């Protein structure tokens, strides 16, 4: 049975205790750490840059996936790679040549991800899927945690999964924004195999149980493949 990966988004962590927070969710069974980088330009919010990633890198061996919500991310790929990211995710809407930047990421021996905003038709990125290891479907408008899941993301997920299957391509499809046990279950049913969750995990009084519950949602997916 394919495994569902759970990636807590540290956007919802206590920023004053970042190392501790990363270690804590790693100990609770997380599979990856999702790191939201925002530039106040591509999105209205500002978070942190490569220095923060470097400073938390030693807290866990789990893969770091860096979600670049920044304009023209091609300018910073090497810096975020050097800082300790294992996956670099760029927004389709923010890059000039998606194929070039995805290739650059892979040439640095990192996993390449492409993200789409909820308003972007998923068909626009189909031609880039062969160059990507991961597709990130945003289910909220990027910029802030704690928003409500936008249901049209489910359609994007299932269309992308359909396309991947038709072309025989193995690609990880992550869903990001407003993920709860309910919306996470729907996303998995649609074909997602990675759930990214900030509020649901960091806001939980029992993060280990929440992560376990998320992983328990993995079952429906086997019927999908
Ligand atoms: C939103 C970020 C998400 C966000 C998810 O711009 O990309 O990763 O942290 O947070 P929740 O789970 O609270 O919607
Ligand atoms: Zn994110």
């Amino acid at each position: 049975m394919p495994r569902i990966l759970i990636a807590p988004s540290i956007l919802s962590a206590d920023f004053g205790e970042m190392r501790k927070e990363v270690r804590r969710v790693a100990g609770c069974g997380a599979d990856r750490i999702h790191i939201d980088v925002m530039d106040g330009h591509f999105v209205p919010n500002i978070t942190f840059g490569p220095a923060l990633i470097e400073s938390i890198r030693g807290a866990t061996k789990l893969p770091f996936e860096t979600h670049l919500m920044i304009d023209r991310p091609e300018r910073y790929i090497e810096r975020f790679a050097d800082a300790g990211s294992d996956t670099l995710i760029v927004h389709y809407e923010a890059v000039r040549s998606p194929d070039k930047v995805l290739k650059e990421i892979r040439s640095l021996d990192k996993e390449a991800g492409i993200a789409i905003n909820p308003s972007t038709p998923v068909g626009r990125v189909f031609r880039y899927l062969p160059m990507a290891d991961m597709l990130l479907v945003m289910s909220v408008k990027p910029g802030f945690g704690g928003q409500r899941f936008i249901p049209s993301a489910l359609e994007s997920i299932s269309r992308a999964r359909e396309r991947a299957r038709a072309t025989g391509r193995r690609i990880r499809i992550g869903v990001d924004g407003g993920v709860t046990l309910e919306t996470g279950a729907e996303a998995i049913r649609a074909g997602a195999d990675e759930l990214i969750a900030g509020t649901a995990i960091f806001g939980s009084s029992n993060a280990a149980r929440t992560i376990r519950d998320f992983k328990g949602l993995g079952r429906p997916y086997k019927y999908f493949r």
Side-chain angles (χ1 to χ4, degrees), residues 135-197:
L135 169 69
L136 184 74
V137 175
M138 290 298 306
S139 38
V140 297
K141 221 167 132 190
F144 300 92
Q147 303 180 70
R148 210 179 262 277
F149 187 91
I150 299 172
S152 64
L154 296 172
E155 176 70 21
S156 297
I157 294 167
S158 59
R159 283 198 56 210
R161 178 57 72 200
E162 199 49 57
R163 170 76 177 200
R165 209 175 13 202
T167 54
R169 195 154 287 287
R170 173 80 201 108
I171 188 160
R172 197 162 75 243
I173 301 180
V175 59
D176 186 9
V179 172
T180 61
L181 284 173
E182 290 73 34
T183 58
E186 291 182 69
I188 291 168
R189 236 173 276 130
D193 43 19
E194 177 178 337
L195 302 179
I196 291 127

Side-chain angles (χ1 to χ4, degrees), residues 78-196:
E78 233 180 290
R79 297 205 16 220
F80 281 102
D82 289 348
S85 311
D86 299 282
T87 306
L88 285 157
I89 305 166
V90 296
H91 266 265
Y92 165 74
E93 303 85 1
V95 291
R96 295 210 174 143
S97 319
D99 41 357
K100 251 197 211 150
V101 60
L102 292 169
K103 266 185 212 143
E104 187 195 347
I105 296 169
R106 282 185 163 179
S107 77
L108 297 169
D109 265 338
K110 307 291 177 185
E111 268 192 355
I114 186 154
I116 52 164
N117 285 339
S119 57
T120 300
V122 68
R124 297 243 175 104
V125 297
F126 281 176
R127 56 185 287 220
Y128 303 112
L129 297 185
M131 297 153 219
D133 304 291
M134 176 185 185
L135 169 69
L136 184 74
V137 175
M138 290 298 306
S139 38
V140 297
K141 221 167 132 190
F144 300 92
Q147 303 180 70
R148 210 179 262 277
F149 187 91
I150 299 172
S152 64
L154 296 172
E155 176 70 21
S156 297
I157 294 167
S158 59
R159 283 198 56 210
R161 178 57 72 200
E162 199 49 57
R163 170 76 177 200
R165 209 175 13 202
T167 54
R169 195 154 287 287
R170 173 80 201 108
I171 188 160
R172 197 162 75 243
I173 301 180
V175 59
D176 186 9
V179 172
T180 61
L181 284 173
E182 290 73 34
T183 58
E186 291 182 69
I188 291 168
R189 236 173 276 130
D193 43 19
E194 177 178 337
L195 302 179
I196 291 127

Side-chain angles (χ1 to χ4, degrees), residues 14-27:
D14 176 349
F15 277 31
E17 302 276 3
M18 219 41 131
R19 287 175 65 92
K20 243 173 138 178
E21 291 276 77
V22 168
R23 218 173 289 128
R24 179 168 72 87
V25 289

Side-chain angles (χ1 to χ4, degrees), residues 9 11 34 36 38 67 69 138 142-146 176-178 196-199:
S9 159
L11 184 61
H34 185 87
D36 287 310
M38 305 186 186
H67 179 190
M69 283 163 279
M138 290 298 306
F144 300 92
D176 186 9
I196 291 127
T199 310

